[in-house]
């Protein structure tokens, strides 16, 4: 692996030049317009298991993807090569595809006047000068701390450290070219606890733009072990209708379902239960959901979207009301609406929250289920019907009583969103979606 500095901001000029060459080649071969994304990435990852090194992997990847247009016909192609021959062949392949596609009135680049002009510095690049030996040592330290936490921790199911850095440049035939360098580092630990013939697995992890900002390795290991041990003795509960509290790390998925349902692709395909819901009250009137794309060092920050439009802060939900869909250029055209600069998704979504931590939310819930694990993909986006296998803890009188497994939680997302009682201040900061634990007034818990 080359120096940690080899894929940083200093690589951007060469990538920008490559984008210019690809755009010029597309024009030479007859494309009426095109857009290109070029990337260069490298990383180190290591996994240890049962005090032994299992893998050490280096990766270095480069390549580009091109989408070009012949009038209203569109073709796309990509390659992991970067030489002149690869550029010619990939452009030719995309053109061949475009010639065989149907015309689409909504196809084409975003309007030239909408291209991003002033790009804020987001401080996303923080290389971590950790050696393979150092990475192994930190992973082993994490696992060792987990084993030392409790004698019922009998097996390790993998502790992994990864460090990644990369550059990405986007450009199009409007003359827009911009890029950025970024880093992402993580440490995760999965442990198995055993008692009375029952085994339980749980995990913990941290992720950051800055390797030095990751949580202490030993603390991650201890937390993974404590979570695994606390699951011992898990059992089903009788079928009932009770309040359900989604732990913060799972509440992000709940909000993620909402994002999918109000995204342009789901809406113009008429495959969303929230089609036509703009202006409707979907959540309690104290709740807001907004996007903040320009936070320094945040995991979801971006200065421009996948179409080259400048990102900007905005609400999607204000006082419980859906005030904006999530649109890129193409989906906006399909719906007859302007892009919200969200081609490729959202950037740093924040869910408003109260002052209660998870313990206070349990007291508020009184009796019900705290969900810390979800299984399966039981969501019908067309109807909003939601049914997932779940595990967690049964709560009585505001206190955890025993761990729960082999249950299913079910409801309808439209009802669940309206019945949100509170959002905790225990924010999940390891995600593009920042939310605390979410308490829902009533769901069906199906057990034995």
């Amino acid at each position: 692996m080359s120096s940690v500095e080899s894929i940083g901001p200093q690589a951007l000029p060469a990538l920008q030049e490559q984008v210019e060459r690809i755009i010029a080649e597309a024009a030479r071969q007859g494309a009426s317009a095109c857009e290109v994304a070029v990337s260069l990435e490298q990383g180190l990852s290591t996994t240890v298991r049962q005090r032994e090194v299992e893998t050490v992997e280096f990766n270095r990847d480069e390549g580009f993807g091109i989408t070009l247009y012949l009038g209203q016909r569109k073709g796309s192609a990509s390659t992991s090569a970067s030489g002149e021959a690869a550029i010619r062949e990939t452009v030719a392949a995309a053109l061949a595809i475009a010639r065989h596609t149907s015309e689409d009135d909504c196809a084409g680049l975003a309007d030239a006047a909408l291209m991003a002009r002033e790009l804020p510095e987001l401080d996303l690049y923080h290389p971590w000068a950790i050696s393979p030996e150092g990475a192994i040592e930190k992973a082993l330290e994490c696992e060792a701390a987990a084993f030392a936490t409790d004698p019922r921790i009998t097996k390790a199911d993998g502790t992994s450290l990864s460090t990644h850095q990369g550059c990405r440049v986007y450009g199009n035939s409007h003359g827009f070219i911009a890029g950025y360098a970024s880093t992402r580092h993580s440490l995760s630990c999965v442990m198995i606890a055993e008692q009375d013939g029952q085994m339980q697995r749980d995990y913990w992890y941290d992720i950051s733009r800055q390797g030095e900002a990751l949580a202490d390795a030993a603390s991650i290991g201890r937390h993974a072990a404590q979570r695994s041990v606390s699951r011992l003795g898990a059992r089903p509960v009788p079928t009932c209708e009770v309040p359900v509290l989604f732990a913060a790390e799972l509440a992000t998925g709940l909000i993620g379902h909402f994002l999918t349902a109000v995204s342009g692709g789901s809406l113009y395909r008429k495959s969303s239960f929230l089609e036509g819901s703009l202006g409707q009250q979907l959540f309690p009137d104290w709740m807001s959901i907004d996007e903040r794309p320009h936070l320094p060092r945040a995991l979801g920050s971006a200065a421009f979207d996948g179409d080259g439009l400048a990102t900007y802060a905005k609400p999607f939900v204000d006082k419980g009301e859906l005030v904006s869909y999530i649109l890129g250029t193409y989906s906006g055209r399909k719906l007859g609406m302007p892009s919200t600069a969200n081609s490729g998704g959202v950037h740093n979504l924040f869910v408003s929250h109260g002052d209660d931590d998870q313990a206070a939310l349990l007291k508020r819930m009184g009796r019900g289920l705290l969900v810390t694990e979800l299984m399966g993909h039981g969501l019908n986006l067309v109807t909003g019907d939601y049914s997932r296998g779940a595990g967690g803890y049964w709560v009585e009188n505001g206190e955890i009583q025993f761990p729960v497994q082999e249950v299913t939680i079910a409801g309808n997302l439209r009802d669940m969103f309206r019945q949100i009682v509170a959002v905790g201040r225990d924010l999940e900061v390891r995600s593009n979606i920042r939310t605390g634990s979410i308490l829902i007034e009533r769901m069906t818990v199906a057990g034995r």
Side-chain angles (χ1 to χ4, degrees):
M1 184 175 179
S2 49
S3 158
V4 294
E5 294 293 342
S6 63
I7 300 184
Q10 70 278 6
L12 290 172
L15 294 183
Q16 289 170 342
E17 182 185 337
Q18 184 181 354
V19 168
E20 291 172 353
R21 292 201 312 272
I22 297 167
I23 292 172
E25 179 62 23
R28 191 189 70 77
Q29 292 195 30
S32 55
C34 80
E35 52 189 335
V36 180
V38 174
S39 63
L40 180 61
E41 302 178 347
Q42 72 178 24
L44 161 70
S45 63
T46 184
T47 298
V48 302
R49 192 189 306 261
Q50 295 294 123
R51 304 180 177 89
E52 299 284 343
V53 179
E54 191 168 75
T55 61
V56 178
E57 296 179 354
F58 299 96
N59 70 281
R60 185 181 177 96
D61 300 305
E62 59 182 306
F64 70 88
I66 182 170
T67 295
L68 48 74
Y69 302 91
L70 289 172
Q72 300 300 124
R73 300 175 189 270
K74 170 184 168 182
S76 299
S78 61
T79 180
S80 57
S82 59
E84 295 302 321
I87 291 174
R88 286 194 304 272
E89 291 166 8
T90 307
V91 168
L95 273 170
I97 293 168
R99 291 189 184 100
H100 289 91
T101 58
S102 302
E103 290 198 358
D104 184 341
D105 291 344
C106 297
L109 302 179
D111 294 343
L114 300 177
M115 293 295 107
R117 283 175 169 74
E118 295 182 12
L119 303 178
E121 170 51 54
L122 300 176
D123 195 21
L124 305 181
Y125 181 71
H126 295 272
W128 191 10
I130 189 168
S131 65
E133 295 78 15
I136 291 167
E137 182 181 347
K138 197 170 281 288
L140 287 170
E141 176 193 353
C142 182
E143 185 187 86
F147 274 121
T149 299
D150 193 291
R152 290 170 290 182
I153 295 292
T154 58
K155 294 182 179 68
D157 203 21
T159 297
S160 299
L161 182 146
S162 72
T163 173
H164 170 272
Q165 57 191 310
C167 283
R168 183 178 183 276
V169 172
Y170 168 87
N172 61 39
S173 47
H174 286 325
F176 175 84
I177 296 182
Y180 56 89
S182 65
T183 52
R184 187 177 292 246
H185 317 287
S186 64
L187 177 60
S188 64
C189 180
V190 185
M191 302 302 291
I192 297 172
E194 189 171 6
Q195 185 179 43
D196 299 331
Q198 187 188 61
M199 298 173 70
Q200 293 287 349
R201 173 191 287 105
D202 217 321
Y203 70 97
W204 201 243
Y205 73 99
D206 197 16
I207 185 169
S208 177
R209 295 282 185 192
Q210 301 167 281
E212 296 80 3
L214 288 173
D216 176 68
S219 71
I220 291 174
R222 284 193 295 270
H223 199 45
Q226 289 161 358
R227 284 169 60 95
S228 300
V229 169
S230 71
R231 303 274 306 130
L232 288 168
R235 59 187 191 268
V237 293
T239 297
C240 54
E241 284 197 4
V242 290
V244 170
L245 178 61
F246 287 79
E249 61 270 19
L250 300 183
T252 59
L254 206 58
I255 300 300
H257 295 324
F258 161 73
L259 298 180
T260 302
V262 297
S263 291
S266 301
L267 297 168
Y268 77 71
R269 294 185 184 98
K270 301 189 179 300
S271 61
S272 169
F273 70 100
L274 292 181
E275 182 193 350
S277 58
L278 201 61
Q280 291 182 11
Q281 188 86 14
L282 299 181
F283 295 88
D285 58 13
W286 50 264
M287 193 168 166
S288 296
I289 301 175
D290 69 288
E291 180 185 37
R292 306 174 197 176
H294 297 163
L295 298 177
R297 295 179 298 283
L299 292 173
S301 292
F304 55 91
D305 79 341
D307 296 326
L309 275 61
T311 54
Y312 59 98
K314 56 186 167 295
F316 293 114
V317 173
D318 184 35
K319 297 178 182 174
E321 179 186 325
L322 179 65
V323 294
S324 174
Y325 290 141
I326 299 170
L327 305 174
T329 297
Y330 183 80
S331 61
R333 287 171 180 163
K334 294 287 279 188
L335 294 168
M337 305 174 77
S339 170
T340 60
N342 288 110
S343 174
V346 298
H347 311 282
N348 301 325
L349 204 76
F350 281 71
V351 179
S352 60
H353 60 87
D355 296 326
D356 289 346
D357 59 11
Q358 191 181 89
L361 290 178
L362 291 176
K363 294 238 180 290
R364 191 165 174 177
M365 179 168 71
R367 175 177 181 268
L369 181 67
L370 165 61
V371 176
T372 60
E373 180 184 21
L374 288 169
M375 292 150 279
H377 301 282
L379 168 63
N380 185 329
L381 198 66
V382 176
T383 63
D385 290 336
Y386 179 94
S387 179
R388 303 281 302 276
Y393 302 88
W394 187 253
V395 176
E396 296 274 1
N397 302 315
E399 301 284 345
I400 289 175
Q401 302 299 312
F402 56 85
V404 172
Q405 66 180 12
E406 297 174 6
V407 298
T408 299
I409 57 173
N412 182 278
L413 282 177
R414 192 181 276 273
D415 298 332
M416 291 161 63
F417 293 156
R418 277 200 302 261
Q419 293 177 14
I420 292 176
V421 175
V423 179
R425 60 176 169 84
D426 54 333
L427 292 186
E428 172 57 82
V429 297
R430 302 165 299 179
S431 169
N432 187 32
I433 299 172
R434 296 198 184 186
T435 177
S437 297
I438 292 181
L439 176 59
I440 294 176
E441 184 177 351
R442 187 160 299 271
M443 291 184 70
T444 298
V445 177
R448 49 176 187 239

